[in-house]
Amino acid sequence: MKLARLRSLPVAALAVAALLATAAPAAQATPEAVAAAPDIPLANVKAHLTQFQSIATANGGNRAHGRTGYKASVDYVKAKLDAAGYTTALQQFTSGGATGYNLIADWPGGDPNQVLMAGSHLDSVTSGAGINDNGSGSAAVLETALAVSRAQLAPDKHLRFAWWGAEELGLVGSKYYVNNLATTERSKLAGYLNFDMIGSPNPGYFVYDDDPVIEQTFKDYYAGLSIPTEIETEGDGRSDHAPFKNVGVPVGGLFSGADYTKTSAQAQKWGGTAGQAFDRCYHASCDTTANINDTALDRNSDAVAHAIWTLSAGTVTPPTGTVFSNAANVSVPDNGAAVTSSVAVTGRTGNAPSALKVGVDIKHTYRGDLVVDLLAPDGTAYRLKNSSSSDSADNVIATYTVNASAETANGTWKLQVRDVAAQDTGYIDSWQLTF
């Protein structure tokens, strides 16, 4: 893992970065790394949360292990998966004298010797409905599984999804699953992704650092959105990835924070309130549908899908159409004026597509310095990438999707790049438009 280079942006550069951040239309382009997986509709995820809330309300206010609310939650998720074409199984166990359930769902196809799992715990504590902890992870994993069905995804790896019982009592359900999995079956697990609390009302963006490939998959997703992340430490070993990790399965996941306090530095880069817990309703009766940050839930749900699509090596249809490109190098001055590289588009009729692909290859020693825009022939700017003082990786090599349907296709399109901070240099290597 590359270590971040500690640096501070000059005040003037910060001002320029802030100005540039508002210079383009509000609807930013989406990196191809995110667009390769379908967008997970926030409304769908929240609809599942509403169902979990209704279940809790109708069953003594919670969805805890051994209670009717938990079994009703399992039945709800199972019915959705059965209807979507999954092979589902309920695994029973006993804890505290009560019967618990793990729900396991397998998507047909894929290499049975290379199994990618994603899971979340479905139970709440007894004091509340557990909508963030952990309806949020459960709903996102469910909706991603349903998206796999809608897309009829044909991944190289076999996909398996799980919803664990009795996590709140000490990871009981996931431990039971792992301990009862034959050694030969354990060896087939290519990875396990865990999602526990991903919609915290005062959210952070934390990534597990257990497996470098899984970790980088999530970090690349957020880098494409210019959202800084931090390594997850608050819940390390306290959620359902731990039993898998303990037997050597590669693990990873996301977390938006529990009862730790958000620092001033974290509030500065993520928004929210410094000096306040990431989730003030953690393990409390107020963990209801009102205890969710929609933006965090939306981003993290999309990240779940991105990881599933990427790590399962699913079949993705490459963009088709006519390609217009420019491979001439253009130097980007350090902390200087914006530069452009032009592409002349000819022979097209009407307007540009609503999913115009913009392939960018910029070599630079600190990509967080860069602000990148696509300029339409009439000068309209479409933001591809914002600057970020915490993004210390090299190079911007990505394909972005732009809704350019308001623009005439023919004409001179430009890639505009500006370096807004000192110390690092680079150049535009090449770029292309795919109509």
Side-chain angles (χ1 to χ4, degrees):
M1 181 175 61
K2 184 174 180 179
L3 295 176
R5 283 165 277 179
L6 297 177
R7 65 212 299 257
S8 58
L9 295 177
V11 173
L14 286 171
V16 171
L19 178 62
L20 288 171
T22 60
Q28 294 189 7
T30 304
E32 176 94 0
V34 176
D39 177 76
I40 299 300
L42 175 63
N44 291 11
V45 180
K46 294 192 71 176
H48 300 315
L49 296 183
T50 298
Q51 290 297 318
F52 292 148
Q53 178 69 64
S54 297
I55 288 170
T57 301
N59 290 275
N62 66 69
R63 301 179 303 102
H65 164 74
R67 308 294 181 91
T68 54
Y70 180 73
K71 184 56 165 61
S73 297
V74 171
D75 292 343
Y76 169 78
V77 175
K78 186 177 186 300
K80 292 288 186 182
L81 296 166
D82 287 339
Y86 281 84
T87 300
T88 62
L90 282 179
Q91 183 183 47
Q92 292 189 27
F93 58 89
T94 300
S95 180
T99 300
Y101 302 92
N102 292 325
L103 173 61
I104 311 298
D106 284 87
W107 180 242
D111 184 352
N113 294 311
Q114 290 286 316
V115 179
L116 179 65
M117 285 192 75
S120 58
H121 76 87
L122 188 55
D123 63 314
S124 72
V125 292
T126 57
S127 59
I131 298 304
N132 185 40
D133 184 17
N134 181 40
S136 61
S138 294
V141 173
L142 172 58
E143 192 56 32
T144 296
L146 298 179
V148 166
S149 174
R150 289 192 294 267
Q152 288 296 291
L153 187 66
D156 294 334
K157 295 184 178 69
H158 179 74
L159 287 178
R160 180 175 298 155
F161 298 90
W163 289 262
W164 308 115
E167 187 269 356
E168 298 291 4
L169 301 183
L171 319 181
V172 177
S174 55
K175 285 179 179 177
Y176 184 87
Y177 176 83
V178 172
N179 291 341
N180 286 275
L181 200 60
T183 303
T184 54
E185 293 302 311
R186 288 183 190 174
S187 68
K188 297 176 182 179
L189 295 179
Y192 171 72
L193 312 180
N194 195 60
F195 304 99
D196 188 353
M197 301 180 66
I198 61 171
S200 301
N202 189 29
Y205 293 89
F206 298 99
V207 175
Y208 295 12
D209 66 340
D210 299 284
D211 178 77
V213 174
I214 298 174
E215 176 189 359
Q216 195 60 48
T217 299
F218 287 118
K219 291 174 74 173
D220 286 347
Y221 165 79
Y222 284 106
L225 299 180
S226 297
I227 297 173
T229 60
E230 290 185 10
I231 298 303
E232 196 282 311
T233 58
E234 181 180 359
D236 198 20
R238 293 170 51 191
S239 193
D240 294 299
H241 60 291
F244 290 88
K245 181 180 178 179
N246 290 342
V247 296
V249 176
V251 302
L254 301 174
F255 180 60
S256 57
D259 55 354
Y260 280 22
T261 300
K262 177 177 281 188
T263 66
S264 296
Q266 290 170 331
Q268 184 174 10
K269 65 183 175 183
W270 290 328
T273 305
Q276 187 178 103
F278 294 101
D279 184 356
R280 291 189 294 175
C281 291
Y282 176 61
H283 284 185
S285 61
C286 56
D287 188 8
T288 65
T289 50
N291 190 47
I292 290 289
N293 181 285
D294 285 358
T295 299
L297 183 65
D298 191 19
R299 289 170 172 169
N300 285 324
S301 297
D302 288 339
V304 174
H306 167 75
I308 292 297
W309 257 251
T310 302
L311 294 170
S312 67
T315 301
V316 178
T317 303
T320 59
T322 306
V323 176
F324 301 86
S325 63
N326 188 340
N329 292 353
V330 178
S331 295
V332 179
D334 186 27
N335 196 20
V339 296
T340 60
S341 175
S342 299
V343 165
V345 175
T346 59
R348 309 297 297 179
T349 58
N351 287 1
S354 60
L356 177 64
K357 302 296 183 181
V358 187
V360 174
D361 186 342
I362 303 171
K363 302 298 193 296
H364 197 276
T365 52
Y366 198 104
R367 69 184 182 195
D369 290 356
L370 301 180
V371 176
V372 184
D373 292 294
L374 174 68
L375 304 183
D378 66 356
T380 300
Y382 292 85
R383 178 58 42 83
L384 304 181
K385 177 190 174 301
N386 283 318
S387 61
S388 173
S389 61
S390 62
D391 185 3
S392 63
D394 296 338
N395 307 328
V396 180
I397 302 174
T399 300
Y400 300 89
T401 302
V402 173
N403 182 355
S405 58
E407 308 295 338
T408 301
N410 287 338
T412 300
W413 295 75
K414 297 179 181 179
L415 185 73
Q416 177 176 279
V417 181
R418 184 165 190 175
D419 184 330
V420 300
Q423 300 178 16
D424 291 84
T425 60
Y427 60 94
I428 302 173
D429 187 301
S430 63
W431 73 288
Q432 66 180 34
L433 295 172
T434 304
F435 281 80

